[in-house]
């Protein structure tokens, strides 16, 4: 695809239309969707199975109430209407990973319908959204409202429905576990019948970056409400990306392709970006897009056809005769609502209102639950709103850098306790140590498991901020350098550096440069 245009070029002529289907396994539950088998990650193959999840004749399913509570919680957290009356259907297909030969799923009416999510786009992602070019902060167009550093996009959620996972196939004898060239395949039914929820968005997303940010936002929410561990690597959260193109200024939707099982935020973004460029090339050459399922190969950096899209008829969807329709009560729904914790948007607002932080700082602090919890614990130790900004800086810059650099670094159990972070920030705020020394202390807290005060003491770092001591040194430096003082007063302002250097030398580097500068300026007037 070397001849193919860059994404930015394509997006000038074409509008991309993107809708996501996002699966999340309810990993925090104890048992499967329709039987009492334990959910246990990494258990020996086929040790958590029973007649129900193996689909043996005569076995009857019983819905997992905790799973229904989880999906209702997800719906409430994403502004969905909760449908009191819904039911399960059989989606029929024959494949060895599903011993029943059908998947139990929901039909036209799901537990959660008609929701929405807002998310912020800033940085490089803003440039991809060229149709809002020229709008100022507060102005809106379509589903977008501009902010000071980007925009907020409003995206509709069609539904969230309940279903069950299939077993896991392992192909033996081929390349890298692929089915091609394999001599035989093994099936592990531990995962069969695992509770799974699928969220479907309206085709409201317009750029690969929006797709990525929507997915991140949803993941934050699911983690906050505690329904899944949302691990993209381990497949407990996975995403299909649907995308089509239409000429800018036209309204009719084009034919879409579907990218299956994107297992990282980067793959989702890059796969969609590639697919947009590929479709543009096909369309510009007068070709047509076939509705098909494609696979993104991140190594080869291209998408390849997996299969032509099956239609709903192929699945012979029909009502599940072994499960009664649901009739959720108001008490049940309101009971679930009381379990809603503070959601990421609410937390962001609180950080701005209670701590006076900027939108940027609040957004980055809440990005990970670990950093948000840590920040709040440190603020509790500090008990001083004026330390919010320096603490936020410490968490956003130093702590995040450490987390990124060292995958094994676990903030919750590291020697960097909230109390130590708070003590370090206090030393900095009081000018007891310089910002450069602050970095050294930060590293030493983690590497030596020591308190900031002890590190400062042991390394003789404490800056002398005592003004009387500094004044005495300055008086002496001025007395010993009468000619320099004269030249300074005659207009050679650069000499201030010389005086600061002399004072620092006299104090063996321990003087507080801010205080020295301030007093020197007064005395040399
Ligand atoms: P399918 O029947 O192929 O599964 P759905 O109507 O169920 O299609 O939609 C699946 C996903 O694809 C949804 O997220 C929806 O928003 C999105 N979608 C539907 N039509 C288009 C289109 N023309 N272009 C891009 N995305 C689309
Ligand atoms: Mg569909
Ligand atoms: Zn079972």
């Amino acid at each position: 695809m070397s001849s193919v245009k860059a994404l930015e070029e394509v997006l000038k002529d074409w509008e991309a239309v993107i809708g996501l289907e996002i699966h999340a396994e309810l990993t925090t539950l104890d048992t499967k969707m329709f039987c009492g088998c334990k959910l246990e990650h990494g258990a020996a193959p086929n040790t958590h199975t029973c007649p129900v999840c193996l689909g043996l004749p005569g076995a009857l399913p019983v819905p997992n109430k905790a799973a229904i509570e989880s999906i209702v919680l997800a719906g409430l957290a994403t502004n969905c209407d909760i449908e009191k009356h819904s039911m399960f259907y059989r989606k029929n297909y024959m494949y060895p990973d599903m011993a029943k030969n059908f998947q139990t799923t929901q039909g036209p009416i799901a537990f959660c319908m008609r929701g929405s999510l807002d998310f912020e786009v800033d940085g490089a992602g803003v440039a991809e959204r060229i149709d809002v070019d020229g709008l100022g902060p507060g102005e809106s167009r379509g589903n977008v409202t501009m902010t000071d550093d980007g925009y907020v996009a409003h995206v509709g959620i069609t539904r969230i429905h309940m279903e069950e996972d299939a077993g896991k196939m392992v192909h033996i004898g081929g390349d890298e576990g692929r089915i091609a060239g394999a001599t035989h395949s093994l099936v592990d039914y531990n995962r069969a019948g695992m509770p799974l929820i699928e969220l479907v968005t309206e085709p409201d997303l317009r750029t690969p970056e929006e797709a990525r940010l929507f997915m991140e936002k949803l993941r934050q929410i699911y983690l906050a409400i505690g329904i899944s561990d949302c691990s993209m690597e381990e497949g407990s959260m996975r995403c299909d990306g649907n995308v089509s193109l239409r000429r800018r200024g036209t309204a009719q939707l084009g034919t879409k392709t579907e990218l299956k099982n994107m297992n990282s935020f980067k793959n989702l973004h890059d796969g969609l970006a590639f697919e947009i460029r590929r479709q543009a090339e096909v369309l510009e050459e007068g070709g047509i897009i076939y509705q098909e399922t494609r696979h993104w190969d991140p190594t080869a950096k291209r998408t390849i056809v997996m299969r032509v899209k099956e239609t709903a008829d192929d699945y012979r969807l029909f009502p599940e005769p072994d499960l009664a329709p649901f009739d959720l009560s108001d008490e049940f729904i309101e009971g679930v609502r009381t379990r809603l914790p503070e959601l990421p948007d609410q937390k962001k607002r609180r950080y701005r209102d209670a701590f006076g932080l900027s939108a940027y700082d609040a957004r980055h602090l809440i990005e990970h639950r670990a950093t948000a919890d840590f920040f709040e614990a440190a603020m509790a130790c500090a008990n001083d709103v004026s330390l919010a900004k320096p603490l936020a800086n410490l968490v956003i810059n130093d702590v995040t850098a450490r987390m990124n650099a060292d995958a094994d670094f676990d903030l919750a159990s590291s020697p960097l306790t909230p109390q130590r972070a708070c003590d370090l920030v206090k030393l900095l705020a009081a000018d007891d140590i310089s910002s450069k020394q602050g970095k050294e202390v930060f590293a030493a807290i983690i590497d030596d498991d020591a308190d900031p005060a002890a590190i400062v003491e042991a390394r003789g770092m404490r800056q002398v901020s005592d003004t009387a001591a500094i004044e005495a040194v300055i008086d002496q430096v001025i007395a010993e350098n009468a000619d320099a003082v004269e030249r300074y007063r005659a207009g050679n302002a650069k000499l201030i550096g010389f005086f600061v250097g002399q004072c620092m030398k006299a104090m063996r580097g321990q003087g507080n440069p801010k205080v020295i500068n301030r007093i020197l300026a007064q005395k040399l007037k």
Side-chain angles (χ1 to χ4, degrees):
M1 278 235 320
S2 52
S3 64
V4 167
K5 288 190 204 162
L7 182 66
E8 302 81 72
E9 279 301 305
V10 170
L11 290 179
K12 280 181 194 156
D13 301 327
W14 299 94
E15 181 174 42
V17 174
I18 299 169
L20 301 178
E21 295 165 283
I22 302 173
H23 284 95
E25 284 178 350
L26 302 179
T27 52
T28 55
L29 297 180
D30 296 328
T31 55
K32 291 187 181 180
M33 190 58 224
F34 298 111
C35 61
C37 288
K38 285 255 164 302
L39 297 185
E40 188 195 350
H41 187 78
N46 296 308
T47 50
H48 297 305
T49 60
C50 74
V52 173
C53 54
L54 291 177
L56 302 187
L60 285 176
V62 178
N64 180 341
K65 187 177 175 203
I68 312 290
E69 288 171 358
S70 290
I71 191 171
V72 170
L73 200 57
L76 293 173
T78 52
N79 310 301
C80 288
D81 296 336
I82 306 303
E83 294 284 353
K84 290 183 180 171
H85 304 285
S86 68
M87 58 196 286
F88 280 108
Y89 284 67
R90 290 187 180 187
K91 184 174 174 180
N92 294 275
Y93 71 92
M94 220 293 289
Y95 202 69
D97 65 358
M98 185 59 94
K100 303 191 296 184
N101 284 351
F102 62 85
Q103 180 193 35
T104 307
T105 181
Q106 291 200 283
I109 299 173
F111 282 116
C112 314
M113 304 288 290
R114 300 171 297 276
S116 67
L117 269 192
D118 290 350
F119 59 93
E120 284 150 283
V121 184
D122 65 0
V126 180
E128 287 181 7
R129 187 74 199 240
I130 65 164
D131 57 329
V132 298
D133 216 22
L135 291 187
E139 292 185 303
S140 298
R141 181 175 298 158
N143 68 335
V144 163
T145 303
M146 305 307 289
T147 60
D148 290 331
D149 60 352
Y151 64 88
V152 171
H154 178 83
V155 168
I157 292 170
T158 316
R159 56 193 268 135
I160 312 176
H161 64 253
M162 185 87 237
E163 55 185 44
E164 58 179 338
D165 215 343
K168 199 176 190 162
M169 305 267 299
V170 184
H171 307 295
I172 310 291
D175 251 8
E176 294 170 37
R178 279 178 217 272
I179 195 164
T183 53
H184 59 290
S185 300
L186 303 174
V187 196
D188 175 8
Y189 289 110
N190 282 351
R191 203 179 65 182
M194 167 123 197
L196 199 63
I197 62 174
E198 177 178 355
L199 179 148
V200 182
T201 76
E202 290 292 301
D204 287 348
L205 298 154
R206 292 291 174 268
T207 69
E209 184 64 3
E210 286 184 9
R212 191 178 72 78
L213 291 169
F214 179 91
M215 181 89 178
E216 277 188 358
K217 178 77 174 258
L218 185 69
R219 184 170 182 273
Q220 280 175 4
I221 291 173
Y222 281 0
L223 287 173
I225 61 178
I227 59 168
S228 174
D229 63 7
C230 296
S231 165
M232 306 274 288
E233 305 84 60
E234 287 176 13
S236 57
M237 191 172 192
R238 41 192 198 253
C239 179
D240 304 337
N242 298 270
V243 56
S244 66
L245 296 187
R246 62 184 172 198
R247 284 279 178 194
R248 288 224 171 260
T250 64
Q252 201 186 342
L253 290 178
T255 302
K256 71 179 167 76
T257 57
E258 180 173 356
L259 296 181
K260 269 291 182 208
N261 279 332
M262 312 303 277
N263 58 1
S264 75
F265 293 115
K266 185 172 185 332
N267 282 344
L268 176 64
H269 177 280
D270 295 354
L272 286 170
F274 175 91
E275 191 55 20
I276 290 168
R277 294 164 60 211
R278 185 193 71 84
Q279 288 187 14
E281 185 185 37
V282 171
L283 292 169
E284 284 173 8
E285 285 174 354
I288 49 172
I289 302 297
Y290 295 98
Q291 182 162 342
E292 59 197 7
T293 303
R294 299 179 71 91
H295 169 77
W296 166 243
D297 181 342
T299 317
K301 296 201 187 316
R302 64 197 175 104
T303 62
I304 45 179
V305 189
M306 280 169 72
R307 58 172 185 260
V308 178
K309 181 77 186 173
E310 57 288 277
T311 66
D313 290 347
D314 295 334
Y315 289 122
R316 303 240 160 259
L317 213 67
F318 67 80
E320 165 62 65
D322 289 342
L323 288 165
F326 285 88
D327 187 5
L328 301 183
S329 67
D330 286 326
E331 292 73 40
F332 177 81
I333 296 169
E334 292 315 308
V336 174
R337 198 189 299 279
T338 61
R339 287 178 39 204
L340 268 182
E342 183 181 46
L343 295 173
D345 277 350
Q346 294 165 326
K347 184 172 285 193
K348 229 166 10 188
R349 209 167 307 130
R350 180 165 60 83
Y351 282 14
R352 297 175 67 175
D353 295 346
F355 301 135
L357 293 176
S358 67
Y360 175 92
D361 286 345
R363 184 152 76 239
H364 283 85
L365 282 175
I366 68 125
E367 217 162 73
H368 304 285
R369 193 160 171 182
T371 50
D373 289 350
F374 184 85
F375 171 75
E376 291 197 38
M379 278 307 290
C381 296
N383 195 23
D384 176 358
V385 178
S386 75
L387 293 180
K389 177 63 184 164
L391 259 175
N393 287 347
L394 186 83
V395 174
I396 293 169
N397 302 324
D398 307 73
V399 175
T400 307
R402 188 73 180 215
M403 284 166 64
N404 291 340
D406 177 3
D408 294 331
F409 180 74
D410 175 31
L411 184 54
S413 65
S414 91
L416 181 71
T417 59
Q419 183 66 57
R420 283 172 169 172
C422 163
D423 291 345
L424 169 57
V425 164
K426 279 183 177 163
L427 286 170
L428 285 161
D431 274 331
D432 282 347
I433 56 172
S434 67
S435 57
K436 193 162 155 244
Q437 290 173 322
K439 302 266 180 219
E440 190 182 329
V441 174
F442 178 83
I445 292 173
I446 297 168
D447 298 339
D448 306 345
D449 193 353
D451 289 330
I455 296 164
V456 166
E457 207 54 51
R459 303 190 181 200
M461 276 177 174
R462 197 174 282 273
Q463 303 187 88
V464 178
S465 299
D466 173 357
T467 46
I470 290 176
E471 249 178 88
V473 172
I474 288 175
D475 287 342
Q476 195 182 341
V477 167
I478 287 179
E480 283 170 2
N481 297 282
D483 55 328
V485 171
E486 215 165 285
R487 277 187 283 143
Y488 176 85
R489 289 190 173 137
N492 190 347
K494 276 195 212 146
L495 278 170
I496 191 76
F498 164 77
F499 290 112
V500 173
Q502 291 298 306
C503 293
M504 274 302 208
K505 203 168 137 199
M507 302 180 78
R508 289 191 313 280
Q510 306 287 301
N512 179 334
K514 263 196 227 164
V515 179
I516 293 175
N517 266 295
R518 179 164 50 78
I519 300 177
L520 258 177
Q522 285 166 5
K523 299 226 171 208
L524 286 172
K525 245 190 233 152

